[in-house]
Amino acid sequence: MMEATYRALCANGFASLTMQDIADEADKSTSLLHYHYDTKQDLLVAFLRYLIERFEERFEDTEDEGPEERLRGFVSRMVPDDDGEDDYDRFGLAIMELRMQAPYEDAYREQLRTNEAVIRSRLADVVRDGIEEGVFREVDPDRTARLVFDALDGARSERVTVGADEAPAEVAAALDEFVFSSLLVAEGEADEGDETE
Amino acid sequence: MMEATYRALCANGFASLTMQDIADEADKSTSLLHYHYDTKQDLLVAFLRYLIERFEERFEDTEDEGPEERLRGFVSRMVPDDDGEDDYDRFGLAIMELRMQAPYEDAYREQLRTNEAVIRSRLADVVRDGIEEGVFREVDPDRTARLVFDALDGARSERVTVGADEAPAEVAAALDEFVFSSLLVAEGEADEGDETE
DNA sequence: CGTTACTGACTGACCAGTCAGTTAGTGAGC
DNA sequence: GCTCACTAACTGACTGGTCAGTCAGTAACG
């Protein structure tokens, strides 16, 4: 069911997504969807919940790597190297379409807020860990995480909307140049100085 | 007519925008809209064109300022200080909704591509000018402009979708810390010590 | 009297959600 | 081992509402 929703979103986008589209992908009737979920919104909120659960599962696997690898891993997961991933863009776009409906639909907004908070705080944790381990210099982890997340998000938005395929890679490079390079403390330097800003 | 479209977008958002909404704002009939514009898409493409013309007019006014002021001016135009601007968020959201339909509607995509290219290249020009004048260090102007634009865009998206009101200001601060501060050459320390906020 | 601006009434398509059912599985009693 | 009752999964046909776009006109203006 969730899988069918995923496929339908990739195939049709969100704005023109109908219950029929999902039903077709699942080889079921629309009536069945309404049997399990009262409204289309209910179904989609359940889908968003399903998504963030999957994200958390996948993220846990990286917890033993070093801060820098984890940071770069995060970036490269948002910037797929191979352009073969057709569904990646389609799905990313569909989710963005959905996000744009959040202000009009409380249920979406609440679930999305949760999802984004989880992602951003995982990223901030990586930065925080890096600072504690003395790999990164002292910065505001939340603010830094937000810059990284929002820049990549903006780039992705640019890519999927107007087809600026190079945008995510360019932004990743710029982040590297301006943020990550300034984040790494010089090797062999002190990992001391607990000075809260 | 364009004004009416603007008001209708603020009031209703894009996804649920009907020709009737626009007609109501203009105190005209929907038939008249179809008399001037064959389809809803045509009307909205004309509206997008109208927007970028207005942007260019307003931007020309800043051409005599210094690079740093222009850069900060650009940022602060995307991050309204006073939270009183209700329409600003509503309209920003509506445009983002529209952008998300670009992949499904060629006419939107072409016009949006033009609009975004104009904005980004104006920003890159500012960086380029700054480098030529020796105020900024040598960086890739397009890449830097993209980082700034996309980060602010991502922040705005976060704000309007899930109500993270602080996002644009946080990102602006992070840009300041990571990008702008590293952009200014130390040269002579001529007029510095300027600590805004 | 021709053109441009404008209207109200209508249509055809689409779609979420309803409803009155059918089918399949599960177990209890005999 | 068979029937009956109960329930969960599922369906097709339908409805009510919405909306872009059409069309046959009218008003205004030069």
Side-chain angles (χ1 to χ4, degrees), chain A residues 81-170:
Chain A
D81 311 335
D82 50 303
D83 295 45
E85 297 238 36
D86 214 37
D87 271 1
Y88 185 87
D89 279 0
R90 290 177 187 278
F91 183 67
L93 173 62
I95 291 296
M96 285 191 189
E97 291 178 64
L98 199 164
R99 276 169 59 195
M100 297 305 147
Q101 294 311 304
Y104 310 111
E105 198 63 57
D106 291 351
Y108 294 166
R109 191 170 64 250
E110 290 313 310
Q111 189 59 48
L112 281 170
R113 205 200 297 265
T114 305
N115 287 20
E116 286 186 20
V118 166
I119 296 173
R120 257 203 348 268
S121 84
R122 288 281 180 279
L123 188 53
D125 286 345
V126 172
V127 176
R128 215 182 324 270
D129 289 351
I131 295 168
E132 270 171 30
E133 292 176 28
V135 183
F136 298 153
R137 72 181 169 92
E138 291 230 356
V139 294
D140 182 328
D142 292 311
R143 179 176 286 178
T144 307
R146 188 163 242 145
L147 176 62
V148 172
F149 181 77
D150 285 351
L152 289 172
D153 193 55
R156 185 144 90 148
S157 148
E158 211 191 324
R159 170 177 168 135
V160 300
T161 55
V162 298
D165 292 348
E166 76 287 2
E170 281 283 292

Side-chain angles (χ1 to χ4, degrees), chain A residues 1-28 30 33 40 43-44 47 50 87 89-95 97-98, chain B residues 104:
Chain A
M1 194 100 277
M2 295 291 101
E3 292 296 329
T5 305
Y6 174 85
R7 286 195 302 275
L9 276 172
C10 290
N12 307 92
F14 170 76
S16 69
L17 181 76
T18 67
M19 293 298 263
Q20 192 62 59
D21 294 330
I22 302 172
D24 287 350
E25 287 290 343
D27 265 311
K28 295 286 152 61
T30 60
L33 302 187
K40 192 182 171 185
L43 192 162
L44 284 161
F47 180 69
Y50 163 82
D87 271 1
D89 279 0
R90 290 177 187 278
F91 183 67
L93 173 62
I95 291 296
E97 291 178 64
L98 199 164
Chain B
Y104 310 111

Side-chain angles (χ1 to χ4, degrees), chain A residues 113 146, chain B residues 79 83 89 155 158-160 162-170:
Chain A
R113 205 200 297 265
R146 188 163 242 145
Chain B
V79 187
D83 295 46
D89 278 0
E158 210 191 324
R159 172 178 166 137
V160 299
V162 299
D165 291 349
E166 74 290 0
E170 281 282 293

Side-chain angles (χ1 to χ4, degrees), chain A residues 27-32 35-36:
Chain A
D27 265 311
K28 295 286 152 61
S29 68
T30 60
S31 312
L32 180 65
Y35 171 75
H36 286 298

